[in-house]
Amino acid sequence: KFAMEDWALLSLRFELFLLVHSYTKDAQDPERVGIHESNLAFYYNKYFKKNFTVKFYGVESISAVVDMVEDAATIAQDSSVLETSLAEDTAFDQFVRLTEEQRRVRQKAIDD
């Protein structure tokens, strides 16, 4: 029962996860702990060849977009760096499950 917004969030969830792990591998520098929030749109474009438009998600800031998929990626409060708690070898079906759980929560909130 996925709708367009569920597919968009699934894509965002997976792409931010990939971005965190790909950047870490590519940088190979212990001083570069990750992508700073202010550079997220640049690296998103660099890795995925598409613009990161926060207005597409109906919010005004990058942190608000990342909060939508906080089960897969977060912005660290102390360093403002994009992080993920998911292991590099996380299977794609886990992202589908996370998206489905979030869809059910949204649907329940609408129904109540």
Side-chain angles (χ1 to χ4, degrees):
K1 297 184 179 182
F2 268 30
M4 185 261 323
E5 60 270 11
D6 299 309
W7 291 110
L9 289 171
L10 173 62
S11 177
L12 176 67
R13 188 175 269 111
F14 191 61
E15 287 170 347
L16 291 180
F17 162 81
L18 289 175
L19 190 59
V20 169
H21 287 293
S22 298
Y23 180 84
T24 303
K25 275 187 171 182
D26 292 346
Q28 294 182 353
D29 185 353
E31 291 183 16
R32 294 180 187 232
V33 294
I35 299 171
H36 191 272
E37 180 181 6
S38 63
N39 296 326
L40 180 59
F42 171 80
Y43 283 105
Y44 187 88
N45 181 279
K46 187 167 183 70
Y47 278 81
F48 299 114
K49 305 291 188 240
K50 57 185 180 179
N51 291 329
F52 189 78
T53 308
V54 296
K55 298 219 186 257
F56 175 76
Y57 299 97
V59 295
E60 297 295 323
S61 69
I62 289 176
S63 61
V65 173
V66 175
D67 286 346
M68 291 180 174
V69 292
E70 64 188 0
D71 48 14
T74 57
I75 305 260
Q77 297 221 349
D78 57 338
S79 61
S80 296
V81 169
L82 185 67
E83 299 177 332
T84 184
S85 59
L86 300 173
E88 187 177 346
D89 61 350
T90 301
F92 182 74
D93 66 335
Q94 179 65 27
F95 295 94
V96 176
R97 286 188 190 105
L98 292 171
T99 304
E100 174 61 16
E101 287 174 22
Q102 188 179 39
R103 186 196 66 76
R104 289 181 182 173
V105 168
R106 281 195 330 270
Q107 188 62 47
K108 185 175 180 178
I110 291 169
D111 292 343
D112 289 344

